[in-house]
Amino acid sequence: MDLNISTWTPPENASPDQMMRYPVDARGADWRNKDIGTIDLKGANLCRADLRGANLSGCQMEYVDLRLAKYDNKTQLPEGFNIRTSGAIGPGAQLNGAFLNNADLRGIDLRKGSLMGTYLSGADLSGALLDNISLAGADLRHSILRGAMCRGTRFGTSELNMADLRGADLTEANLETLESIKGTDFSMCKGMAPHIERLLERPAIELDHWNPLTRSTTRSSLESLRLET
């Protein structure tokens, strides 16, 4: 079918009450807190769509593509539909080994999820809820976790090179076996008292690496926390 430019709507602007073509293409659409009604979403492309708070309980969702779509505890889905294994991002999501490099995940709720070995290099997780999840083996290089809630988070052997954790809450987090903290900024982090001295024993090549984004070294960020305790 030829594309009619005069009636074409970019996928990110797709509105659930104005669907004209099927299968639905709503890549990147913002459907937060919307009642989607009884739209036929079979085979729909909802990659990167924001479905937080949306009501999709009356939709047909066979073979829908939900990779990188966002959902939360208020998202309503058809009975029996398992969004946690669909590639979407939200509470309880099973994202082991998923490629989320450079993804915008600000404020996302990932509690009860699993992100072991997940590729999160360059991802923005500012203000994200990551309490008690496993990030063992995850690639967090150049990631942004400013103000993220990481209480009880198991970082395991994840790589934190050049990560920005300023103001994150790391109370009871497991930081004992990190692969690398080269250039990582821990300034203003909470719950760091049990970890400071051990982290300051790591190699100088990690501790004295300059982070141009935060204008700090890992050592200076840790020493500033030591002065606060």
Side-chain angles (χ1 to χ4, degrees), residues 34-57:
K34 291 186 177 181
D35 188 341
I36 312 304
T38 57
I39 293 177
D40 183 354
L41 292 176
K42 287 185 293 187
N45 189 340
L46 298 181
C47 288
R48 305 186 313 279
D50 196 335
L51 306 174
R52 287 177 287 186
N55 182 3
L56 299 106
S57 59

Side-chain angles (χ1 to χ4, degrees), residues 191-206:
M192 285 291 291
H195 307 292
I196 295 173
E197 298 305 324
R198 183 182 295 273
L199 291 176
L200 283 170
E201 294 173 357
R202 295 185 70 104
I205 193 172
E206 295 183 20

Side-chain angles (χ1 to χ4, degrees), residues 136-205:
D139 181 357
L140 288 159
R141 292 174 295 174
H142 296 273
S143 60
I144 302 172
L145 292 115
R146 288 195 296 264
M149 303 303 288
C150 302
R151 296 165 297 189
T153 302
R154 301 178 297 282
F155 285 88
T157 55
S158 60
E159 295 186 65
L160 280 173
N161 294 22
M162 307 299 288
D164 180 1
L165 281 88
R166 290 177 292 178
D169 190 341
L170 294 162
T171 303
E172 297 185 0
N174 184 337
L175 303 174
E176 295 180 0
T177 56
L178 290 169
E179 184 70 21
S180 176
I181 59 170
K182 184 178 180 180
T184 305
D185 194 331
F186 293 98
S187 300
M188 299 177 286
C189 283
K190 300 176 182 178
M192 285 291 291
H195 307 292
I196 295 173
E197 298 305 324
R198 183 182 295 273
L199 291 176
L200 283 170
E201 294 173 357
R202 295 185 70 104
I205 193 172

Side-chain angles (χ1 to χ4, degrees), residues 4-194:
N4 188 336
I5 296 297
S6 64
T7 60
W8 179 75
T9 301
E12 62 270 21
N13 293 336
S15 174
D17 56 358
Q18 295 178 342
M19 290 302 170
M20 303 293 293
R21 297 171 58 126
Y22 295 88
V24 169
D25 185 357
R27 290 168 288 170
D30 186 352
W31 287 0
R32 283 176 293 180
N33 302 313
K34 291 186 177 181
D35 188 341
I36 312 304
T38 57
I39 293 177
D40 183 354
L41 292 176
K42 287 185 293 187
N45 189 340
L46 298 181
C47 288
R48 305 186 313 279
D50 196 335
L51 306 174
R52 287 177 287 186
N55 182 3
L56 299 106
S57 59
C59 299
Q60 300 179 61
M61 296 184 65
E62 293 86 351
Y63 311 112
V64 62
D65 189 344
L66 286 165
R67 289 173 296 171
L68 302 183
K70 299 173 183 175
Y71 68 94
D72 60 15
N73 285 325
K74 295 182 180 178
T75 304
Q76 299 179 56
L77 299 158
E79 185 175 354
F81 186 83
N82 188 0
I83 198 170
R84 296 183 176 186
T85 58
S86 68
I89 304 170
Q94 300 302 301
L95 296 165
N96 294 337
F99 289 89
L100 303 178
N101 298 324
N102 300 310
D104 181 358
L105 302 175
R106 290 173 293 178
I108 199 72
D109 184 353
L110 281 164
R111 289 174 294 182
K112 298 184 179 180
S114 183
L115 287 88
M116 293 187 292
T118 303
Y119 295 88
L120 289 158
S121 178
D124 190 345
L125 289 147
S126 300
L129 301 177
L130 306 169
D131 295 336
N132 297 307
I133 69 170
S134 176
L135 285 164
D139 181 357
L140 288 159
R141 292 174 295 174
H142 296 273
S143 60
I144 302 172
L145 292 115
R146 288 195 296 264
M149 303 303 288
C150 302
R151 296 165 297 189
T153 302
R154 301 178 297 282
F155 285 88
T157 55
S158 60
E159 295 186 65
L160 280 173
N161 294 22
M162 307 299 288
D164 180 1
L165 281 88
R166 290 177 292 178
D169 190 341
L170 294 162
T171 303
E172 297 185 0
N174 184 337
L175 303 174
E176 295 180 0
T177 56
L178 290 169
E179 184 70 21
S180 176
I181 59 170
K182 184 178 180 180
T184 305
D185 194 331
F186 293 98
S187 300
M188 299 177 286
C189 283
K190 300 176 182 178
M192 285 291 291

Side-chain angles (χ1 to χ4, degrees), residues 142 162 166 183 185 209-217:
H142 296 273
M162 307 299 288
R166 290 177 292 178
D185 194 331
H209 193 83
W210 177 255
N211 187 320
L213 175 65
T214 67
R215 303 185 64 81
S216 177
T217 64

